[in-house]
Amino acid sequence: MKKLFTLLLLLSSLHVFSQEKKLTYKEYSYTEFFQLIENEKDTLFKLKDAIIKYNKETDQRFRGRFSFEGDSLFNRSEKIVIDKRIELDNVQFLANMYNGADAGYNDGSLRYIHFKKDVILKEVNSLNISNCIFSGEFDLDILNCEKESLDTFKSDYVMIRYSTFNEFSIFKNCFQNLGNQGNVLISNNVFSSEANNTTFYLGLYNTSTAQIRKNTINSKGIVSMFFEKQGNRFDINNNNITSSQIDFSANKIDAGVNINGNQFSSLVNLNIDEIKSKDKIEWEQFKNKILSFSSYYEFTQGEANKMMWQIDTLKRKQLKTRYVDSVRFYKADTYANEISIKGMFYNYYKSNYNTETANEVYIELKDFETKRLEALYKENSTFKGFFTWKINQFLKVFSAYGTEPARAVIFSMWVILLFAFIYLLFPNSWDSHGKKRLMHRFEFFQKYLRRKEGMHTIYLEENKQEISSYENFKTNLENSKTELPSFFISWSKPLYNASMFSSKLTAKLLQNTDILKGKWQDLSPKQKRWKNIQIGFLLTLGLFYDLFIKALNALMLSINTFTTLGFGEIPIKGLPRYLAIIQGFIGWFMLTIFSVSLISQLLN
């Protein structure tokens, strides 16, 4: 009897197991499904182990377009309003997608529906939502990929588009031995919440494809996106996320990662195990917005003794401010984690020969290092710490940490011009003849105003000795034709012509411009006015010429000092003499850094 009872118990267990293995699904059309909701008298509608299948005869209202929003299969004013809480367990919304003439259409879509209360979906592997409004909580948990629905109906595509959500959560976990399962598309939606807890959560594990595109997320709470073991396609593009805290994690992604064009309003707690060369990740979206996910969470949980979503908003903001402003620079292990993430991006762009972006990442990395040096100096004030910190700051301004040699050249030019201006204010031996030249010019015009001859005559008289020497040189050559080789005389003539060219040209110019000859006292009042204009113009022109020569001398002196070419005796006295020595040291220092920066860029 005892053995018989045991046998009956075993058979009963096998029967129960068989029933669990082969679930019986209730089947409804989309129209029938919503009729069930409407007929429910309670404010809560529940359904378990069911299939919602498109019926061509009755469900035309639930036929949609796959590729874009703007379809016109029905009047949008026929929006369905549901004022009940919806709880579904293992309810599969099957959708047929077509090729050929009907390509782009899908039969079976939740379209233009306003859910006023919470929608809780458990183990729903297939779902197509378009142009809906979810005023309450939307929670989709896809936990068991071995359900019979997935194997039998081969429909595991979750597509959510052009809809509006308040609190949003999707969790998809398929770690069974089925390989990568499921396709998730979330695009062109608006997520907006005033709550302070986790208001947007997207956790996709072991999913075949994940495409999160062109969504707008405005939340006062936490926005969390976790991806792991994505097998086929992984796109996170052109999303606009405004939140006080953003968590982003992507690990073990077999498919090429495509993360581009996103806008983050705040720092992103980032967790990426590696970035492969085939990945496509834009740096601009993460620029100056990266925090180490693990270090940040370790700090906050250690301080609050709570999980992040259990911490109130004010405390969370205080912890974040403290972490960002001090903790990540002072704690060595935290600093190492933070710098390693930036280093990962740097290595990725460098390995792809994207030198421009790699330099941008390197600058941010070095900025972070500079803040670390500042923190260390404030903890232990030493000259070595101060010098290392300040030299990093100087390198940022001078050459962007060696990534921009051109900036070093521009900076050097400003230093040269500054010292040239200082030298311009002080006399130097290169300008010793400047005053004599000015006095000689006034003596020349004094003779011109007292004599009848023109300026060119006076000019020739003053340069008579010099011109005479040229003429004597020419006469000696002509008288020595029989005593000297012909080639020697031929080669000497160009020298004479070159020497006389300047004097002849100046005399010719003065002769043609001197339109009022005669003594000043013999000129009429009108002629005197023209004479004043003539002489005033020539004096002004000469003054500008003298200033130009003086400025040029100051500039040459500054360049010579900066480049440390050497003078022997420094051609300046007083305070500028010591400034010249300081400038020489500055030039040596800056040119050395410039050389290193240039070589670094050439090697890159």
Side-chain angles (χ1 to χ4, degrees), residues 87-149:
E87 292 185 6
L88 306 181
D89 186 356
N90 191 28
V91 176
Q92 311 306 327
F93 294 83
L94 304 187
N96 298 320
M97 298 182 187
Y98 295 96
N99 294 317
D102 288 331
Y105 287 92
N106 58 330
D107 293 343
S109 175
L110 302 184
R111 306 169 68 250
Y112 297 103
I113 304 168
H114 184 182
F115 296 91
K116 289 190 171 182
K117 296 184 178 178
D118 297 344
V119 177
I120 310 300
L121 309 176
K122 183 179 179 182
E123 297 188 15
V124 177
N125 299 319
S126 169
L127 187 63
N128 186 352
I129 296 175
S130 177
N131 300 91
C132 292
I133 300 173
F134 294 84
S135 298
E137 177 185 350
F138 177 84
D139 192 344
L140 173 60
D141 289 340
I142 307 173
L143 297 176
N144 190 354
C145 290
E146 289 185 334
K147 283 288 186 181
E148 186 181 353
S149 62

Side-chain angles (χ1 to χ4, degrees), residues 279-291:
D279 298 335
K280 296 180 180 178
I281 301 180
E282 179 187 61
W283 171 247
E284 191 64 30
Q285 61 195 337
F286 291 118
K287 188 175 183 179
N288 296 315
K289 292 181 179 178
I290 295 177
L291 291 180

Side-chain angles (χ1 to χ4, degrees), residues 86 116 301 460:
I86 307 297
K116 289 190 171 182
Q301 291 176 23
L460 291 175

Side-chain angles (χ1 to χ4, degrees), residues 217-230:
I217 304 174
N218 294 307
S219 171
K220 287 188 175 180
I222 302 174
V223 173
S224 299
M225 302 175 72
F226 295 88
F227 308 93
E228 188 165 338
K229 289 190 176 182
Q230 307 297 311

